[in-house]
Amino acid sequence: MVFRKLPGVSASGMGLRLSQKFVFLLFLSGLVTLCFGALFFLPDSVRLKRIFLSKTETQPVTVGSGSENDAREQVKRPKDQGMTPAKGETSSIKLKSTSRKPSVSREGTEERLPGGKAQEDMTLSKSRTESAPSSEHGVDLDTFSYNKFRRCLLKAPLGRDNGTPNDPMTNERREKVKEMMKFAWDNYKRYAWGKNELRPLTRNGHIGNMFGGLRGASIIDSLDTLYIMGLTEEYNDAKEWVKTGLDLNSNGEASLFEVNIRYVGGLLSAYYLTGEEIFKSKVLELGEKLLPAFNTPTGIPRGVINLGSSGTSWSWGWASAGSSILAEFGTLHLEFVHLSELSANPIYTEKVMNIRKLLNKIEKPHGLYPNFLSPVSGNWVQHHVSIGGLGDSFYEYLIKSYLMSDKADEDAKRMYYSALDAIEANLVQKSQGGLTYMAEWRGGILDHKMGHLACFSGGMIGIGADDGPQEKRQHYLDLAAEITHTCHESYTRSGTKLGPEAFRFDSGAEATATRLSDRYYILRPEVIESYMYMWRVTHDPKYREWGWEAVQALEQHCRVESGFSGIRDVYTTNVSHDNMQQSFFLSETLKYLYLLFSEDDLLPLEDWVFNTEAHPLPVVRRSCQQSHVTQTGSQ
Ligand code: DMJ
């Protein structure tokens, strides 16, 4: 069919005139303008956004991974819902947008949270009238009330009069120790500020490779010592450096153990003593970086961790068959419980409770804990047992976990006393000269050697004496005193009156080093640590006397023009210095000496437990626990 054009009828075929067409077009364009105007000028509406924006743009930003083992995924606030605000607090829970990019797993796949719910948990922010900073790291910092924590202490942390002793001679000795601290600090500040340790002979700083690019180990390790000694100006300088100089965005390989005991421990105790928010925010930021170390088939962390975004971890090259070290993975409990307490995030406690569970279950040769364990199979790798290096602080943290839990952590208590029974049955020896010592055990064969590191055990057994079976109390006190006596002998039998790194009880030796390579002293604290605990437990004046002998020896042989240095051979008084002022000298050796000459109410043991780097951490009282995370697992 063909359409023909009719006269007077337009091509559109509607039969409209030009003027009519014009009016119609005008009407149409008015209508279109009105519709679009409505879209753009009406109030912002989620519905309209849903229509006009693409689906992907409305998805929440994903943080973390779906892998169960990925620790970073689990850094979230699981218990926010249902929290009722405390009196005086407004609880406006709101969604906070996060600028964090999706993290990428080592395999290179994007990591996602399992569901939107968890995502919401991670971004919940709770605003309160008590203003507190919010972390960029997915945890809120305002769940912990410092005031509430202080009210829960039984005594004032610094005592009635900062622990000033009544008798003038003890006070003079204490002042001497304070002077030593100031001298060590001033020289560090002058020649090595911001580095990890001072090299006092060459007057420069040492960085080393233990802390994965983190700096200022001596500053972090000194914070609490300066504070309790009343070295206010020095403490303020240290605090200022933490604010402006402590950079946690390092990408290096660090020892999980060393970063934990020095940095996490140092920042935690600085926070608990002072209430300064900067310490809390730094320690929570750092704590999160340590979590990927636990991503192993068993959850037993490896020794070395990359602090950068990869979170990769390795076993030490020297540790046989890729094993993890008992004293390393067994020395996290105290700090991690406090990380959970401060962040209200159970993840940290869960990580260390998982280690505990494995160690509790695994078969132990003669009830002993060997030093090497595979993080893959969860089996022992070698049967070497020692209360010194490689094993030491694992035992220390068992009894201290019990004490820090306000004596609630029954598993820790049971494991500690049965380990001690096994140690007594297999390792504790009496020398021909009548000295009690702890030998090392190599698959049933005894090595009659005791390391300086093992000398902490006198103090450990001393503080645990009261909580064992009543009938063994005196026995434990005697054992603690005997071991401390032996360690003191290792000092008195040297020319410098300082003890060697390891001493032996064979081939005619009695508490002396027989190998040249064991003769050095690097300003270690363990012997003095035991004096301090034994003083607190018994008040036998000999411990203060022994401490004073050590002060004099340190002054005579380790003090140099620009700081304190370790020595290469304790048996020669013509000393050769190793040119290193270790950070633990400031954190532990001088702190324990200061406490030894102070009244017991300076950091009373009812309220405080010292981590293995001598950083005081408060007892978490059940009635006062703030995180709702039990120390024996999450609720
Ligand atoms: C410190 O870092 C700690 O005491 C650790 O537990 C063992 N070694 C040093 C001090 O000797």
Side-chain angles (χ1 to χ4, degrees):
M1 189 189 285
V2 178
F3 289 99
R4 276 196 294 136
K5 198 176 169 187
L6 297 176
V9 177
S10 73
S12 63
M14 287 189 206
L16 295 175
R17 287 203 190 120
L18 200 62
S19 61
Q20 284 173 316
K21 274 194 219 166
F22 180 75
V23 172
F24 180 68
L25 274 174
L26 208 67
F27 171 76
L28 257 181
S29 66
L31 198 70
V32 168
T33 312
L34 247 174
C35 288
F36 275 97
L39 285 178
F40 288 102
F41 299 112
L42 279 177
D44 200 16
S45 150
V46 171
R47 244 182 223 174
L48 288 174
K49 279 186 183 163
R50 281 215 185 129
I51 297 165
F52 289 100
L53 295 179
S54 79
K55 222 179 180 181
T56 45
E57 281 167 296
T58 59
Q59 299 296 312
V61 178
T62 309
V63 183
S65 88
S67 135
E68 248 184 38
N69 260 345
D70 192 299
R72 277 164 297 153
E73 170 210 337
Q74 295 164 69
V75 180
K76 61 179 188 260
R77 291 271 315 276
K79 293 199 187 253
D80 273 297
Q81 299 102 320
M83 268 185 67
T84 33
K87 219 175 166 199
E89 296 166 344
T90 55
S91 175
S92 71
I93 297 177
K94 59 182 185 238
L95 278 171
K96 179 172 74 177
S97 75
T98 165
S99 59
R100 279 185 64 168
K101 290 185 188 132
S103 51
V104 174
S105 76
R106 251 155 278 143
E107 288 74 37
T109 53
E110 190 180 314
E111 298 171 343
R112 286 187 181 278
L113 287 174
K117 189 82 205 110
Q119 173 59 33
E120 275 181 20
D121 285 346
M122 183 139 182
T123 53
L124 277 176
S125 124
K126 210 162 171 288
S127 76
R128 297 185 174 204
T129 48
E130 228 180 64
S131 78
S134 226
S135 161
E136 296 165 355
H137 305 279
V139 287
D140 276 352
L141 301 184
D142 61 346
T143 48
F144 183 87
S145 160
Y146 186 76
N147 290 340
K148 183 176 176 199
F149 148 71
R150 285 299 287 249
R151 284 195 300 273
C152 286
L153 293 175
L154 301 177
K155 295 179 175 169
L158 302 188
R160 250 184 322 118
D161 185 18
N162 296 329
T164 310
N166 291 325
D167 89 280
M169 189 186 73
T170 308
N171 195 32
E172 232 172 76
R173 291 178 171 184
R174 191 171 95 130
E175 285 302 306
K176 176 69 208 164
V177 176
K178 182 172 169 178
E179 184 278 329
M180 291 163 80
M181 178 69 191
K182 184 163 165 44
F183 178 71
W185 173 262
D186 285 348
N187 280 292
Y188 166 77
K189 189 178 168 200
R190 184 157 176 206
Y191 299 114
W193 188 242
K195 303 285 190 320
N196 286 326
E197 292 99 0
L198 163 70
R199 287 188 175 280
L201 299 186
T202 45
R203 298 193 178 105
N204 58 348
H206 173 255
I207 292 176
N209 51 13
M210 259 184 347
F211 308 116
L214 296 180
R215 299 283 192 269
S218 289
I219 301 177
I220 306 297
D221 254 357
S222 294
L223 281 162
D224 50 16
T225 312
L226 295 170
Y227 185 78
I228 66 163
M229 287 184 177
L231 290 165
T232 315
E233 204 181 295
E234 291 78 2
Y235 161 76
N236 282 332
D237 287 344
K239 181 178 78 182
E240 200 46 41
W241 183 85
V242 173
K243 274 190 197 152
T244 56
L246 177 58
D247 181 7
L248 299 177
N249 291 316
S250 126
N251 197 22
E253 278 99 52
S255 155
L256 170 68
F257 164 79
E258 296 291 355
V259 168
N260 178 57
I261 66 170
R262 301 191 203 209
Y263 284 82
V264 176
L267 290 166
L268 280 172
S269 69
Y271 173 65
Y272 282 118
L273 286 172
T274 67
E276 294 281 357
E277 290 294 327
I278 183 68
F279 300 132
K280 185 168 71 173
S281 61
K282 288 284 184 189
V283 81
L284 293 183
E285 188 181 342
L286 181 57
E288 190 181 327
K289 285 171 178 284
L290 303 182
L291 288 170
F294 297 81
N295 297 338
T296 64
T298 55
I300 297 286
R302 296 194 168 93
V304 188
I305 179 170
N306 180 287
L307 293 175
S309 54
S310 77
T312 321
S313 65
W314 301 265
S315 298
W316 292 107
W318 49 266
S320 47
S323 52
S324 297
I325 313 297
L326 180 69
E328 297 197 332
F329 64 79
T331 308
L332 302 165
H333 200 102
L334 305 181
E335 296 82 0
F336 273 50
V337 163
H338 272 295
L339 286 173
S340 276
E341 181 69 3
L342 287 189
S343 64
N345 186 339
I347 184 73
Y348 302 98
T349 301
E350 284 164 11
K351 295 292 175 198
V352 288
M353 286 313 298
N354 180 52
I355 298 174
R356 164 83 64 75
K357 227 195 294 168
L358 190 146
L359 289 174
N360 202 359
K361 258 200 352 229
I362 188 172
E363 204 180 309
K364 294 166 263 294
H366 301 271
L368 295 166
Y369 292 82
N371 292 335
F372 298 95
L373 186 101
S374 163
V376 176
S377 67
N379 294 322
W380 303 118
V381 172
Q382 257 185 26
H383 281 189
H384 172 219
V385 177
S386 134
I387 307 310
L390 305 177
D392 50 8
S393 39
F394 159 68
Y395 305 96
E396 176 187 350
Y397 271 37
L398 285 179
I399 184 64
K400 288 183 176 175
S401 295
Y402 172 66
L403 297 173
M404 199 182 84
S405 71
D406 198 16
K407 306 195 175 180
D409 189 347
E410 287 294 331
D411 270 347
K413 176 182 176 179
R414 198 181 33 71
M415 286 169 74
Y416 169 74
Y417 288 105
S418 48
L420 190 53
D421 280 350
I423 289 166
E424 281 206 74
N426 295 284
L427 271 60
V428 173
Q429 303 287 304
K430 191 74 106 189
S431 76
Q432 287 187 341
L435 296 177
T436 304
Y437 64 97
M438 301 232 186
E440 300 198 359
W441 192 86
R442 294 174 193 278
I445 297 169
L446 283 185
D447 186 2
H448 295 273
K449 152 188 152 190
M450 187 164 173
H452 193 289
L453 289 167
C455 284
F456 84 97
S457 59
M460 174 186 76
I461 298 168
I463 53 168
D466 263 355
D467 295 295
Q470 184 55 32
E471 68 281 6
K472 291 191 89 174
R473 182 178 180 270
Q474 192 53 49
H475 166 73
Y476 287 140
L477 282 179
D478 294 343
L479 179 61
E482 284 170 28
I483 286 169
T484 309
H485 169 70
T486 300
C487 292
H488 175 245
E489 284 300 305
S490 78
Y491 275 46
T492 57
R493 292 170 193 221
S494 79
T496 58
K497 305 298 167 208
L498 293 164
E501 179 68 3
F503 43 93
R504 304 195 66 92
F505 298 88
D506 51 11
S507 321
E510 282 271 333
T512 52
T514 52
R515 296 176 190 169
L516 266 178
S517 57
D518 285 340
R519 292 179 167 199
Y520 62 91
Y521 172 69
I522 55 168
L523 306 173
R524 286 199 192 278
E526 292 78 17
V527 176
I528 291 164
E529 174 181 348
S530 282
Y531 297 164
M532 191 285 287
Y533 283 120
M534 292 307 287
W535 163 256
R536 286 267 176 118
V537 172
T538 67
H539 290 133
D540 184 333
K542 76 179 176 205
Y543 296 114
R544 277 185 166 169
E545 286 311 312
W546 292 355
W548 185 241
E549 287 169 13
V551 167
Q552 290 171 302
L554 285 166
E555 281 286 281
Q556 196 180 342
H557 301 295
C558 298
R559 187 170 180 140
V560 293
E561 213 181 302
S562 304
F564 285 89
S565 166
I567 56 175
R568 295 208 166 88
D569 184 347
V570 295
Y571 298 104
T572 165
T573 48
N574 184 16
V575 291
S576 161
H577 293 107
D578 70 5
N579 193 23
M580 181 67 82
Q581 180 176 284
Q582 302 280 352
S583 79
F584 52 67
F585 180 66
L586 305 151
S587 156
E588 297 190 75
T589 313
L590 293 176
K591 187 189 285 129
Y592 286 135
L593 281 168
Y594 190 76
L595 291 171
L596 176 64
F597 299 123
S598 296
E599 290 298 303
D600 294 357
D601 66 356
L602 178 58
L603 298 175
L605 297 182
E606 298 97 303
D607 277 330
W608 299 89
V609 164
F610 293 89
N611 88 339
T612 196
E613 189 79 357
H615 295 304
L617 301 173
V619 168
V620 182
R621 301 227 139 71
R622 273 164 282 185
S623 51
C624 288
Q625 199 161 4
Q626 303 197 35
S627 69
H628 312 288
V629 178
T630 67
Q631 291 174 74
T632 48
S634 60
Q635 274 177 349

